[in-house]
Amino acid sequence: MAGRFVVELRNVSKVYTPGKVEVVALRNVSLVIERGEFTAIVGPSGSGKTTLLNLMGCLDVPTSGDVLLEGIPLRNRSRGELADLRRDYIGFVFQTFNLIPVLTAFENVEFSLSIKESELDRREKRVRVLKILERVGLKGLENRKPGEMSGGQQQRVAIARALVKEPALVLADEPTANLDSKTGRSIMELMRDLNEKNGVTFVFSTHDEMVMDFARRIVKLHDGEIVEDISKVK
Ligand SMILES: Nc1ncnc2c1ncn2[C@@H]1O[C@H](COP(=O)(O)OP(=O)(O)O)[C@@H](O)[C@H]1O
Ligand SMILES: [Mg+2]
């Protein structure tokens, strides 16, 4: 695997032009995420958090500036190349869980693995999926469909789905926004545990103080600009 920078943004701006008026969602953002970070992107609604995560995760491309993923510059890549990079390096967790409703917990996680690791045989895949579901606390619930699970359990499936590919970076966009505070806390505890014990690099967005308190580094956005970048000493 490449150097210690998982993702690097150099002077990145993102301008949306939904109609006649331009919306500057990010303005000259430079940011480096190193391996092993547990970092919160914070800021009010509309400050650019989702846009920033989407650029880090190759879901979108900047209007200007450069994004490097594992040292690989993303400039001038085709949609297909970006999709390949996303599949190989990134796990996503969303505020609305985004599981496939007709698939069980097991199948939702297996599906993500199938896309990346087509060379693994069925048995190896099965073992890996069961192991990760157990790791996120869902042993015994493998055959439940999303509609048969609580919000917190669904988010655990989503975390397992992101992790099973062993991505370099997990991006979580307001992962606790649709959970009550106790469940949200347990999801943050799980993510922190995966960071500390398994070395998974996490970048998550939030505007919730409780969630922010878990972060070791807080990057604050305001109107598309980084206005604060604080690393806590452990
Ligand atoms: N697809 C889009 N088209 C037009 N404007 C957008 C789009 N996505 C986001 N924006 C605008 O960009 C700004 C930043 O949005 P976003 O990144 O979603 O912020 P946050 O996640 O912090 O709420 C907002 O002004 C928002 O309205
Ligand atoms: Mg958002």
Side-chain angles (χ1 to χ4, degrees):
M1 208 168 261
R4 63 200 178 108
F5 292 172
V6 180
V7 61
E8 189 176 356
L9 280 74
R10 293 183 185 158
N11 223 10
V12 163
S13 294
K14 178 70 185 180
V15 182
Y16 296 107
T17 42
K20 288 203 175 104
V21 187
E22 291 191 337
V23 180
V24 182
L26 288 178
R27 199 188 302 267
N28 295 327
V29 168
S30 294
L31 182 67
V32 167
I33 303 295
E34 294 188 27
R35 207 166 300 291
E37 282 194 31
F38 197 67
T39 295
I41 309 292
V42 310
S45 181
S47 58
K49 302 183 296 296
T50 296
T51 302
L52 181 59
L53 293 186
N54 288 350
L55 293 176
M56 286 186 185
C58 309
L59 279 172
D60 204 352
V61 292
T63 309
S64 62
D66 279 297
V67 181
L68 291 88
L69 185 57
E70 291 278 323
I72 303 163
L74 303 184
R75 191 183 273 260
N76 299 326
R77 305 258 165 200
S78 68
R79 272 172 183 279
E81 285 175 309
L82 290 175
D84 288 348
L85 288 163
R86 194 156 65 226
R87 181 199 59 208
D88 290 344
Y89 294 118
I90 307 287
F92 286 101
V93 176
F94 300 95
Q95 106 180 40
T96 48
F97 322 136
N98 295 13
L99 302 174
I100 301 173
V102 296
L103 300 183
T104 64
F106 180 90
E107 290 163 345
N108 264 284
V109 176
E110 185 189 42
F111 183 66
S112 155
L113 190 60
S114 308
I115 293 173
K116 180 165 177 194
E117 308 279 9
S118 46
E119 74 279 9
L120 287 182
D121 75 27
R122 268 184 78 82
R123 210 189 56 85
E124 281 174 308
K125 272 187 197 158
R126 196 180 152 70
V127 168
R128 236 164 104 171
V129 172
L130 290 176
K131 211 169 140 194
I132 196 75
L133 281 169
E134 182 171 3
R135 178 71 181 85
V136 301
L138 292 177
K139 193 174 166 63
L141 301 183
E142 297 86 354
N143 295 320
R144 297 262 184 107
K145 290 183 180 158
E148 300 161 349
M149 286 183 283
S150 68
Q153 288 167 342
Q154 290 183 60
Q155 197 60 304
R156 285 170 190 269
V157 177
I159 291 169
R161 174 183 62 183
L163 286 173
V164 75
K165 303 184 296 174
E166 299 177 352
L169 175 64
V170 176
L171 297 170
D173 195 4
E174 307 215 27
T176 64
N178 282 305
L179 302 172
D180 64 73
S181 66
K182 184 163 166 273
T183 308
R185 184 178 291 278
S186 76
I187 290 294
M188 291 315 299
E189 282 164 355
L190 170 63
M191 283 173 39
R192 186 175 57 192
D193 199 53
L194 287 160
N195 171 261
E196 287 178 355
K197 300 212 177 87
N198 302 58
V200 182
T201 307
F202 279 93
V203 175
F204 51 95
S205 72
T206 187
H207 49 241
D208 182 341
E209 293 279 349
M210 179 277 284
V211 176
M212 265 173 236
D213 283 345
F214 279 87
R216 277 204 306 280
R217 176 184 178 193
I218 297 181
V219 176
K220 192 186 260 178
L221 287 177
H222 190 79
D223 288 343
E225 290 182 279
I226 295 181
V227 291
E228 230 172 62
D229 186 346
I230 306 163
S231 291
K232 294 182 200 166
V233 278
K234 277 229 279 188

